[in-house]
């Protein structure tokens, strides 16, 4: 039986706001097994990013718990086997791509020789090997996003968490994300990603969960869901979040 | 949950690299070097006693610019990490917030120390060329005391940076606090004697709890060519400075660990 990589139990996250507490996630429970590509879907404000923030230890849950590889997500050791690609490009622009990757490799305590090999390998994979010695601030937006991809896989992660991985990516970047997801899947690794691009999700995911207003409204194998609803993932998504009967404009 | 030295050194390396790649750091560094050299090379009326005044002005410049470098660099480290979002991929790695703060503070302290070392070497060379003598021990003590004092200032600036959101307000507050301690710190105890209760107790509590950074100011010893301080007393001063730096850093870590980032 496949190992449980992500286990979320009765997760609740509240944010204090001026008038009242805002509940971002309500009693969310889910499990992701090793080797699965898991699509985490939902409209804006559904609680996807908050859940990812909990998984990465940025946000402490109000109630419930999240466990990765059997370790509570608040423990830094839980992040040893994780790669994370944020939605936006958040990297030190005063460093070169090579220096940035070397810095992250050091945080993962990858031995120097192995780190150098891996840096060359990932830079080649994201097609940045010719620009590796240039400062990141001189890169185009697409190139900066590919640096993000490179840093997400520098530690050869067993679990890759992607937050809107294709949002705003150039075609090369999108292709690379797909390639990386397929490659990791073929190696038996786990991918957990949030996305709005449902066509993309339908092609690459094994299982999906559809989240709305902080709760999972539907969860299951992609094929099973397609058979159950007899329509595409986009229509399933709209039905599940309550948009099936919207009048056609025009 | 142990603190990893590997992570701290990696983070210190990145914040040092950031400082060395910023133009404003070089502007201040080069400006101080030029002003110090210019002041030191001017020969007023061929009067040998003028050397003391020139040394005083050079040291004042070094103190001002070292403070500016230390405070401006430290005050923006954590806020800019949060504002630019670089903290998020960073904390997705096996690194704690304590390591991030300590690593960045260490990086600022080392980078500021390198700049300070350059200032003091130039100052010592200028003073030696003027007076044809050099008290090596006193110059080393002055540099070390100054560097440890900057450690206190940097840890204060980091503490401010996790409390105040805007780096500019933190920078201003830190500068005001440091200057106030330098100017008023040593007089607070005497001032309190002329006060009535409860102000007297309040001022005395402030006097005994603030870091007396004026103790690290060896400028008068250098200007008037006094002998070096006894090393055992000097080491006690260093311990006092390191202690305050650790206290401020510890409080900053506690606040940063509880801070909501998103």
């Amino acid at each position: 039986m496949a190992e449980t990589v992500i286990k979320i139990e009765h997760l609740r996250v509240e944010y204090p706001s001026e008038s009242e507490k805002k509940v971002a996630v309500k009693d969310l429970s889910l499990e992701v097994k090793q080797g699965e590509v898991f699509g985490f879907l939902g409209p804006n404000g559904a609680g996807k990013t908050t859940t990812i923030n909990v998984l990465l230890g940025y946000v402490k849950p109000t109630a419930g718990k999240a466990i990765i590889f059997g370790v509570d997500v608040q423990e830094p050791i839980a992040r040893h086997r994780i790669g994370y690609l944020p939605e936006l490009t958040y990297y030190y622009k005063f460093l070169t791509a090579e220096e940035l990757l070397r810095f992250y490799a050091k945080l993962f305590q990858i031995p120097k020789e192995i780190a150098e090999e891996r840096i060359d390998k990932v830079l080649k994979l994201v097609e940045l090997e010719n620009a590796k010695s240039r400062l990141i601030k001189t890169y185009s937006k697409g190139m900066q996003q590919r640096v993000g991809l490179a840093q997400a896989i520098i530690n050869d992660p067993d679990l890759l968490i992607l937050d809107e991985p294709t949002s705003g990516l150039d075609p090369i970047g999108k292709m690379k994300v797909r390639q990386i997801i397929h490659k990791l899947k073929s190696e038996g690794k786990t991918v957990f990603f949030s996305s709005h691009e449902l066509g993309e999700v339908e092609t690459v995911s094994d299982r999906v969960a559809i989240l709305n207003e902080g709760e999972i409204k539907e969860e299951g194998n992609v094929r099973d869901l397609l058979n159950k609803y007899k329509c595409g993932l986009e229509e399933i998504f709209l039905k599940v979040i309550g948009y099936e009967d919207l009048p056609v404009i025009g | 949950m142990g603190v990893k030295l590997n992570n701290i050194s990696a983070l210190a390396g990145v914040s040092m690299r950031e400082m060395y790649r910023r133009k404003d750091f070089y502007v201040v560094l080069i400006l101080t070097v030029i002003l110090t050299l210019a002041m030191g090379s001017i020969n007023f009326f061929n009067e040998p006693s003028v050397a003391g005044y020139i040394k005083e002005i050079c040291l004042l410049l070094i103190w001002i610019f070292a403070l500016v470098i230390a405070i401006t660099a430290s005050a923006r480290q954590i806020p800019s990490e949060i504002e630019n979002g670089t903290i998020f991929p960073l904390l997705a790695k096996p690194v704690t917030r304590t390591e991030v703060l300590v690593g960045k503070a260490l990086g600022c302290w080392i980078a500021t120390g390198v700049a300070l070392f350059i200032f003091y070497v130039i100052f010592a060379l200028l003073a030696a060329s003027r007076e044809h003598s050099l008290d090596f021990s006193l110059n080393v003590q002055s540099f070390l005391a100054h560097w440890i004092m900057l450690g206190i200032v940097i840890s204060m600036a980091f503490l401010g940076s996790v409390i105040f959101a805007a780096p500019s307000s933190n920078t201003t507050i830190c500068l005001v606090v440091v200057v106030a301690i330098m100017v008023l710190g040593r007089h607070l105890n005497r001032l309190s004697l002329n006060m009535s209760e409860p102000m007297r107790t309040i001022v005395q509590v402030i006097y005994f709890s603030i870091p007396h950074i004026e103790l690290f100011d060896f400028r008068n010893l250098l200007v008037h060519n006094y002998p070096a301080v006894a090393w055992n007393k000097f080491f006690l001063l260093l311990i006092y400075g390191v202690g305050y730096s650790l206290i401020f850093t510890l409080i900053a870590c506690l606040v940063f660990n509880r801070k909501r980032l998103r």
Side-chain angles (χ1 to χ4, degrees):
Chain A
M1 198 175 154
E3 182 196 359
T4 302
V5 173
I6 299 175
K7 190 173 185 179
I8 300 175
E9 287 179 338
H10 306 292
L11 186 76
R12 183 180 177 87
V13 182
E14 291 172 0
Y15 288 126
S17 69
E18 276 178 21
S19 52
E20 55 185 28
K21 279 178 188 165
K22 183 183 175 276
V23 182
V25 178
K26 298 174 197 166
D27 197 35
L28 187 147
S29 296
L30 67 85
E31 275 191 26
V32 179
K33 300 280 182 193
Q34 188 192 341
E36 274 188 330
V37 176
F38 192 94
F40 200 47
L41 316 177
N44 289 337
K48 302 187 299 291
T49 302
T50 302
T51 308
I52 289 178
N53 288 344
V54 170
L55 288 176
L56 294 166
Y58 304 154
V59 172
K60 283 183 185 159
T62 312
K65 60 179 175 180
I67 288 166
I68 290 181
F69 296 112
V71 181
D72 189 289
V73 291
Q74 292 298 319
E75 296 293 327
I77 192 82
R79 301 191 283 277
H80 237 288
R81 293 161 69 189
I82 297 178
Y84 166 59
L85 176 68
E87 185 182 354
L88 299 170
T89 52
Y90 297 132
Y91 308 106
Y92 299 109
K93 296 193 173 159
F94 56 87
L95 295 180
T96 66
E98 205 176 18
E99 286 168 345
L100 182 84
L101 295 177
R102 206 170 282 139
F103 165 58
Y104 285 147
K106 198 173 175 189
L107 295 181
F108 282 111
Q109 294 183 299
I110 303 170
K112 213 173 175 184
E113 302 79 50
I114 300 172
E116 291 303 320
E117 268 177 41
R118 213 172 272 171
I119 289 166
D120 286 343
K121 201 174 145 188
V122 295
L123 284 172
K124 204 169 175 183
L125 183 70
V126 297
E127 295 180 14
L128 283 176
E129 70 268 41
N130 294 328
K132 66 180 181 183
S133 305
R134 269 169 51 195
L135 294 180
I136 294 174
K137 68 179 173 192
T138 66
Y139 283 11
S140 67
K141 199 179 164 209
M143 288 165 87
Q144 288 187 15
Q145 280 158 330
R146 278 185 272 150
V147 173
L149 267 178
Q151 65 82 32
I153 54 171
I154 189 66
N155 58 328
D156 193 17
D158 292 320
L159 166 64
L160 190 63
I161 297 177
L162 311 167
D163 192 2
E164 306 283 352
T166 49
S167 122
L169 272 184
D170 62 358
I172 302 171
K174 282 187 183 179
M175 183 189 70
K176 291 291 164 195
V177 169
R178 271 198 302 272
Q179 267 182 12
I180 288 164
I181 291 176
H182 285 302
K183 185 177 169 286
L184 289 174
K185 187 178 162 58
S186 69
E187 290 170 0
K189 294 182 174 175
T190 315
V191 181
F192 181 89
F193 72 107
S194 74
S195 182
H196 283 132
E197 300 203 19
L198 300 173
E200 195 96 26
V201 176
E202 196 175 323
T203 345
V204 296
S205 305
D206 298 315
R207 276 202 312 140
V208 292
I210 300 173
L211 196 69
N212 195 26
E213 293 171 346
E215 287 175 301
I216 291 182
K217 302 289 184 188
E218 186 63 273
E219 184 191 349
N221 188 294
V222 175
R223 282 191 184 170
D224 294 346
L225 290 177
L226 296 176
N227 287 334
K228 182 180 163 187
Y229 286 89
K230 309 277 183 223
C231 56
L233 194 59
E234 193 167 330
E235 285 163 90
I236 297 173
F237 177 83
L238 291 172
K239 275 181 186 171
V240 167
I241 64 164
Y243 273 72
E244 57 182 330
D245 298 324
L246 276 185
V248 178
I249 299 166
Chain B
M1 189 174 69
V3 171
K4 285 194 196 119
L5 289 177
N6 168 70
N7 290 354
I8 290 173
S9 73
L11 283 151
V14 165
S15 56
M16 282 168 70
R17 198 162 278 178
E18 183 192 6
M19 281 178 78
Y20 294 144
R21 286 190 180 162
R22 283 182 73 101
K23 288 188 185 85
D24 50 0
F25 179 80
Y26 281 105
V27 169
V28 176
L29 185 76
I30 292 166
L31 191 68
T32 315
V33 169
I34 290 171
L35 284 172
T36 310
L37 281 170
M39 283 308 301
S41 57
I42 295 169
N43 203 356
F44 291 103
F45 319 117
N46 286 325
E47 175 60 54
S49 62
V50 167
Y53 294 108
I54 291 172
K55 276 163 74 177
E56 201 165 352
I57 294 168
C58 289
L59 283 168
L60 179 68
L61 286 173
I62 291 171
W63 267 74
I64 291 170
F65 287 118
L67 263 182
V68 168
I69 290 175
I71 293 176
T72 52
S74 330
R76 67 164 180 252
Q77 289 288 329
I78 299 290
S80 73
E81 280 275 349
I82 297 170
E83 200 180 304
N84 300 332
T86 46
I87 194 89
F88 300 113
L90 179 60
L91 289 178
K93 312 288 182 279
V95 60
T96 62
R97 292 188 191 193
T98 300
E99 288 162 359
V100 171
L101 192 139
V102 173
K104 291 199 153 278
L106 187 67
C108 286
W109 185 59
I110 295 172
T112 313
V114 171
L116 193 67
F117 181 74
I118 296 169
F119 296 158
Y120 269 88
V121 167
I122 292 168
F123 171 79
L125 290 175
L126 279 173
S129 70
R130 286 267 168 159
E131 297 174 335
H132 309 292
S133 68
L134 179 73
D135 186 343
F136 186 74
S137 297
L138 182 61
N139 276 278
V140 170
Q141 283 185 347
S142 304
F143 162 71
L144 285 177
H146 196 166
W147 193 26
I148 294 290
M149 186 282 279
L150 289 178
I152 303 174
V153 172
I154 286 168
S155 57
M156 276 167 64
F158 268 84
L159 174 58
S161 76
V162 293
I163 295 171
F164 307 110
S168 54
S169 56
N170 183 27
T171 305
T172 314
I173 291 167
C174 282
L175 273 171
V176 169
V177 168
V178 168
V179 172
I181 294 175
M182 291 282 294
V183 176
L184 295 172
R186 74 186 76 192
H187 305 298
L188 280 179
N189 204 19
R190 262 185 293 140
L191 282 173
S192 72
L193 296 175
N194 301 324
M195 292 174 179
S196 53
E197 292 294 354
M199 274 310 288
R200 186 177 184 163
T201 311
I202 293 169
V203 173
Q204 282 187 346
V205 167
I206 293 171
Y207 175 79
F208 286 110
S209 52
I210 57 168
H212 284 273
I213 53 180
E214 74 274 9
L215 297 174
F216 298 84
D217 186 357
F218 280 36
R219 280 180 296 167
N220 271 339
L221 303 185
L222 280 171
V223 169
H224 301 293
N225 295 323
Y226 287 131
V229 176
W231 282 99
N232 56 349
K233 286 178 185 161
F234 182 73
F235 280 119
L236 284 177
L237 178 71
L238 297 192
I239 291 167
Y240 172 82
V242 171
Y244 264 102
S245 302
L246 291 178
I247 291 167
F248 285 129
T249 308
L250 182 70
I251 301 169
C253 289
L254 291 173
V255 177
F256 188 44
N257 275 308
R258 298 176 76 88
K259 195 178 174 79
R260 257 192 59 202
L261 299 176
R262 269 181 171 165

